[in-house]
Amino acid sequence: NAGVTQTPKFRVLKTGQSMTLLCAQDMNHEYMYWYRQDPGMGLRLIHYSVGEGTTAKGEVPDGYNVSRLKKQNFLLGLESAAPSQTSVYFCASSPLKARNTEAFFGQGTRLTVV
Amino acid sequence: RKEVEQDPGPFNVPEGATVAFNCTYSNSASQSFFWYRQDCRKEPKLLMSVYSSGNEDGRFTAQLNRASQYISLLIRDSKLSDSATYLCVVIGGSNYKLTFGKGTLLTVNP
């Protein structure tokens, strides 16, 4: 059982380049989330999805887009990367109505924009 | 006021010490509360859920005070392996959005 898998694990981008981060979960979870983690800032929610075909903005959505075409996949896109998007990105998933249930995280994607 | 605020830390304690972390949340409609642990350069993992009646798991005790919108985590008899960042997590409102505190770094010294 793989749980939550993020690809890629590391990436270096040049300013202005685009890329897509993939998050895949095999637990049939309804909810999926994308966070970024920066030193001193904790985990900040970028976008999240409460089910297939639906997405919503989190705390820091600017510069990112997401899609949830399939229940098991949640894609995070950077259309034109900026150095301020250098961060560690974590994807997570949790069951519907995750009251007192666990959210599972991927291992993270370390992105550097130069 | 931030949605979830934690003690800024860092905490440096000797082995065997008792250490307590505190967290406050701003949304009175918050429904679920957790403590997660994050090791250096790793993903967060659930440590324990927090229930209104308080709950204990071995050396770890979590408390929730809904009236004061306050959550705590107590670690007794600290071990070297407890060294990590501890994250307070709140699920608030009707959208089941997980909101994290900034985390508190704990270092347990021999």
Side-chain angles (χ1 to χ4, degrees):
Chain A
N1 190 340
V4 179
T5 303
Q6 289 183 233
T7 53
K9 290 185 170 49
F10 302 93
R11 184 74 185 267
V12 178
L13 283 180
K14 294 183 179 179
T15 297
Q17 285 185 317
S18 63
M19 78 165 293
T20 300
L21 283 67
L22 171 64
C23 177
Q25 52 97 2
D26 60 4
M27 297 172 283
N28 201 36
H29 286 169
E30 293 291 337
Y31 284 72
M32 296 188 75
Y33 312 83
W34 274 108
Y35 291 88
R36 62 177 289 174
Q37 187 172 37
D38 304 289
M41 301 295 291
L43 280 149
R44 292 183 292 169
L45 183 64
I46 305 171
H47 287 279
Y48 63 103
S49 169
V50 302
E52 182 178 321
T54 70
T55 63
K57 293 180 179 180
E59 182 185 353
V60 287
D62 293 342
Y64 305 94
N65 56 75
V66 288
S67 64
R68 183 102 181 264
L69 299 179
K70 295 183 178 180
K71 186 177 183 179
Q72 64 268 33
N73 296 335
F74 194 29
L75 279 63
L76 178 70
L78 286 73
E79 290 186 350
S80 179
S84 61
Q85 293 178 304
T86 293
S87 188
V88 179
Y89 292 85
F90 286 103
C91 174
S93 72
S94 64
L96 181 66
K97 295 193 176 180
R99 192 168 184 170
N100 292 328
T101 60
E102 184 175 355
F104 294 83
F105 282 79
Q107 291 181 311
T109 297
R110 284 165 175 76
L111 174 67
T112 302
V113 183
V114 297
Chain B
R1 181 181 175 186
K2 292 191 183 300
E3 287 191 61
V4 180
E5 294 200 65
Q6 283 187 246
D7 285 338
F11 285 57
N12 284 278
V13 302
E15 272 187 291
T18 295
V19 60
F21 303 127
N22 301 315
C23 174
T24 58
Y25 60 95
S26 61
N27 184 354
S28 60
S30 296
Q31 301 180 27
S32 302
F33 311 90
F34 307 88
W35 284 100
Y36 275 68
R37 169 192 169 128
Q38 185 175 25
D39 293 298
C40 187
R41 300 178 69 81
K42 299 284 191 181
E43 73 273 22
K45 292 185 178 179
L46 179 68
L47 178 64
M48 59 196 303
S49 300
V50 186
Y51 303 113
S52 296
S53 56
N55 48 299
E56 192 172 306
D57 182 2
R59 298 180 293 108
F60 299 83
T61 301
Q63 296 279 354
L64 167 64
N65 183 323
R66 285 191 181 271
S68 302
Q69 296 180 203
Y70 171 91
I71 307 159
S72 66
L73 175 69
L74 184 75
I75 305 175
R76 294 182 300 278
D77 189 21
S78 300
K79 310 292 185 190
L80 296 177
S81 58
D82 294 333
S83 297
T85 296
Y86 290 83
L87 300 159
C88 175
V89 182
V90 174
I91 296 180
S94 59
N95 58 14
Y96 296 99
K97 185 175 62 173
L98 276 75
T99 301
F100 285 78
K102 289 187 179 181
T104 304
L105 176 63
L106 171 67
T107 302
V108 181
N109 302 302

